[in-house]
Amino acid sequence: MASTGDRTRQQELYEKYAPVIYRRCLRFLRSKEEAQDATSDIFLKLLEHWDSVQNQESALFWIHRTTTNHCISLWRRRKFQGPDNEEGWEDSPLHADDSVEKRIILRDILNKLMFPWNKAVREIVMYTYWDGYTQDEISTLTGMAPSTIRKYLTRFRRQAQQWKLEKLEGEHAY
Amino acid sequence: MPTDTCNRVLVERYALGEGGLELRQATRRHVDACAACRGLLTALETERRDYLTLHPFREFSARHLDGHRPVGKAVLEGHAFLPRWVPALAGLATCLLILPLVQHRLLNAYSDAFPNGASDVDPTGIRGKGVSSSQGPGVMEYFFKRDGQVRPGGPGEAYRSGDELQFVYAGGGYAYVSLVSIDSRGAVSLYREAGATSAETSIENSAVSVKAKNERPQPLPFGVTLDDSPGSEFFVMVFSAAPIEAPVLQHWLEDAYTKSQNGLEGLSKSTLTPPVPKARIKTLLMRKDRV
Ligand SMILES: [Zn+2]
């Protein structure tokens, strides 16, 4: 961790990444206070693992993955039943246009995703339905081939059928 | 990036300065031509500014980095400050468990070494500031443990990384005592007791002061293990009537260090004004050998 030991470097990293982490945590957790706590935890993790994070193609991807897993584990720990609170939803410029219907669908999906699930599939599902990213965008973020992304989504949709999430049907195509 | 397709991830990566030159140029061209992506970029920038205004780095740093700075010293106790370091400090945790015993031994060693009490001798090289040690109140002494041996600290002693320090104080009527240090790179460390409750240290206020006991010389309820950062470490013990907030101590020592003409050496020779009114300070410049 020697590379992030000095305060100036830490400050640079904080000013660059903490706002990104916070935005994502807020989308997951809704509460500004909880999002702030999670941001601190994740940013400390980033400092701790900076040597490996900076060697990755994209720190943004590391942040997406770490934040997603961190927040889902928080949900599970507190048995959170999905984002029933709408507050904070509009805070993100990425999601200002989410419809009420889509939010309900997301809530249903997220409730299901609270349960153990293949992590790689869950990650792609989150990017698709939670973040609303297109397959191109997910490919840019993760470096994953679009065909793999499609395969994962197919698996998830098959599962979703069993969950009788019929509402999802209209939301597939991105 | 095909310049005719919107890709929010690329805009986000662009905002973070990620990606090679070619990719960044292509993204810039797209953003310049696309109102939606330009709007997103602006929103991301605004969001960043707003966040940093509300949660500046110094606030995060005071809360999460001081006292357990990554390449700084390990703090023997104080998991309130170092939740992430607890596993790394497993060896030290053993020391915590035996701390009551060690304290006993330390205090015995203390009375053996200083039968007349600490107030009339200064064998440790600790210099009183604001008050001479012979007048009390507030005495700061220390012992160190190396290779299992507890010895009183003394002048001219060179310390090594791994040495465990146990500070001893006499409250002299002050209600609180705080320990803070700064190393030769200007990094401040704050210390507090592991698992301390608010009754003991006012943790809810982020204060790092320990409630002083005044009957006789007392060891601080935590030890300090020297890390392998090079150069000296300048310790300050602050005696005060009320708990002192962590950021107050931190900024006070950082400021003093910045004003020092000659690093820690200069700082140890200067007359420091206490961080809060009616407080007393004791200082100690500890030289470290690289082993
Ligand atoms: Zn665009």
Side-chain angles (χ1 to χ4, degrees):
Chain A
M1 213 164 147
S3 58
T4 52
D6 74 273
R7 228 13 92 80
T8 316
R9 185 76 184 120
Q10 288 170 341
Q11 180 162 1
E12 268 172 34
L13 294 175
Y14 178 88
E15 291 178 352
K16 196 168 182 182
Y17 297 116
V20 180
I21 299 171
Y22 176 76
R23 162 158 42 87
R24 200 160 169 75
C25 288
L26 186 63
R27 274 188 41 73
F28 276 106
L29 300 171
R30 296 291 180 266
S31 143
K32 286 180 178 167
E33 213 167 279
E34 281 177 79
Q36 185 51 31
D37 285 348
T39 301
S40 300
D41 288 345
I42 293 163
F43 182 72
L44 284 168
K45 210 178 273 185
L46 181 137
L47 286 183
E48 194 181 337
H49 297 288
W50 181 245
D51 286 343
S52 71
V53 176
Q54 67 177 341
N55 287 330
Q56 292 176 16
E57 166 77 7
S58 161
L60 182 68
F61 176 35
W62 184 92
I63 288 170
H64 270 69
R65 171 173 279 175
T66 309
T67 309
T68 304
N69 291 334
H70 185 93
C71 293
I72 286 179
S73 86
L74 284 181
W75 279 345
R76 291 170 74 164
R77 209 177 302 158
R78 71 183 186 197
K79 297 190 166 55
F80 186 82
Q81 291 305 302
D84 48 6
N85 178 357
E86 299 294 312
E87 192 190 330
W89 191 279
E90 291 79 9
D91 286 359
S92 167
L94 288 179
H95 301 278
D97 58 349
D98 284 345
S99 68
V100 172
E101 191 191 9
K102 187 169 166 191
R103 293 175 205 182
I104 293 166
I105 293 165
L106 281 169
R107 185 166 65 203
D108 290 346
I109 293 172
L110 288 166
N111 282 336
K112 295 294 182 190
L113 287 174
M114 291 305 99
F115 297 101
W117 185 257
N118 179 315
K119 265 197 176 176
V121 175
R122 186 175 77 183
E123 192 178 349
I124 299 306
V125 169
M126 293 306 280
Y127 296 149
T128 304
Y129 295 106
W130 178 253
D131 292 292
Y133 284 139
T134 65
Q135 289 179 17
D136 269 353
E137 286 169 333
I138 297 171
S139 177
T140 304
L141 181 69
T142 61
M144 226 177 247
S147 58
T148 312
I149 295 166
R150 274 194 299 276
K151 194 177 75 192
Y152 283 174
L153 286 175
T154 307
R155 271 180 63 186
F156 170 72
R157 281 165 193 154
R158 223 176 286 139
Q159 179 66 57
Q161 295 285 355
Q162 290 175 14
W163 290 341
K164 299 193 193 330
L165 292 176
E166 288 86 6
K167 280 181 182 172
L168 196 61
E169 288 302 308
E171 298 287 320
H172 283 179
Y174 274 96
Chain B
M1 179 181 194
T3 47
D4 54 344
T5 316
C6 295
N7 185 321
R8 289 163 296 176
V9 173
L10 279 178
V11 175
E12 278 201 84
R13 291 190 61 187
Y14 178 84
L16 286 171
E18 287 188 352
L21 182 66
E22 216 170 295
L23 180 67
R24 292 182 54 72
Q25 284 174 340
T27 309
R28 184 74 246 180
R29 276 197 300 276
H30 174 88
V31 167
D32 285 344
C34 170
C37 289
R38 213 163 42 241
L40 174 60
L41 188 61
T42 307
L44 291 172
E45 280 162 4
T46 307
E47 199 173 66
R48 171 181 314 278
R49 263 199 312 276
D50 290 350
Y51 178 81
L52 293 173
T53 305
L54 269 176
H55 304 283
F57 176 72
R58 64 169 185 280
E59 175 197 281
F60 173 84
S61 167
R63 213 175 255 196
H64 298 284
L65 297 176
D66 299 327
H68 68 121
R69 60 183 194 274
V71 291
K73 72 173 49 55
V75 178
L76 185 57
E77 292 238 24
H79 71 220
F81 266 144
L82 13 125
R84 312 181 50 72
W85 282 73
V86 171
L89 292 177
L92 298 180
T94 315
C95 304
L96 303 190
L97 295 174
I98 60 163
L99 192 62
L101 296 175
V102 173
Q103 279 179 7
H104 252 302
R105 286 185 53 198
L106 284 169
L107 284 174
N108 290 341
Y110 180 89
S111 355
D112 292 349
F114 313 114
N116 299 322
S119 57
D120 55 357
V121 285
D122 192 15
T124 61
I126 294 170
R127 300 170 316 101
K129 291 282 186 188
V131 59
S132 80
S133 55
S134 60
Q135 292 170 340
V139 171
M140 168 190 181
E141 303 287 353
Y142 70 102
F143 293 79
F144 70 100
K145 190 172 159 199
R146 183 186 298 162
D147 305 328
Q149 290 243 315
V150 178
R151 283 183 281 170
E157 185 85 53
Y159 296 90
R160 303 173 187 165
S161 83
D163 282 354
E164 291 166 34
L165 306 177
Q166 178 65 62
F167 288 89
V168 176
Y169 70 93
Y174 284 94
Y176 288 89
V177 57
S178 319
L179 184 69
V180 55
S181 73
I182 186 164
D183 70 13
S184 52
R185 299 164 308 174
V188 169
S189 289
L190 296 158
Y191 306 91
R192 78 167 141 204
E193 187 178 3
T197 65
S198 56
E200 289 158 325
T201 54
S202 304
I203 271 178
E204 75 275 15
N205 297 322
S206 301
V208 285
S209 310
V210 172
K211 234 174 199 166
K213 295 191 176 104
N214 280 297
E215 312 85 65
R216 62 195 178 102
Q218 294 284 330
L220 279 177
F222 50 81
V224 175
T225 299
L226 291 177
D227 69 355
D228 54 1
S229 63
S232 305
E233 188 89 24
F234 182 65
F235 285 93
V236 186
M237 202 178 260
V238 183
F239 298 88
S240 57
I244 306 177
E245 302 294 301
V248 171
L249 278 176
Q250 185 201 350
H251 295 140
W252 168 71
L253 197 52
E254 278 173 356
D255 281 356
Y257 178 80
T258 310
K259 284 175 196 146
S260 164
Q261 297 293 318
N262 185 22
L264 294 185
E265 200 71 42
L267 187 61
S268 73
K269 286 177 182 148
S270 64
T271 305
L272 289 173
T273 309
V276 293
K278 292 180 186 168
R280 301 273 190 185
I281 59 177
K282 295 284 181 177
T283 67
L284 165 68
L285 181 63
M286 192 170 274
R287 288 180 184 81
K288 267 189 295 176
D289 267 357
R290 302 195 84 166
V291 179

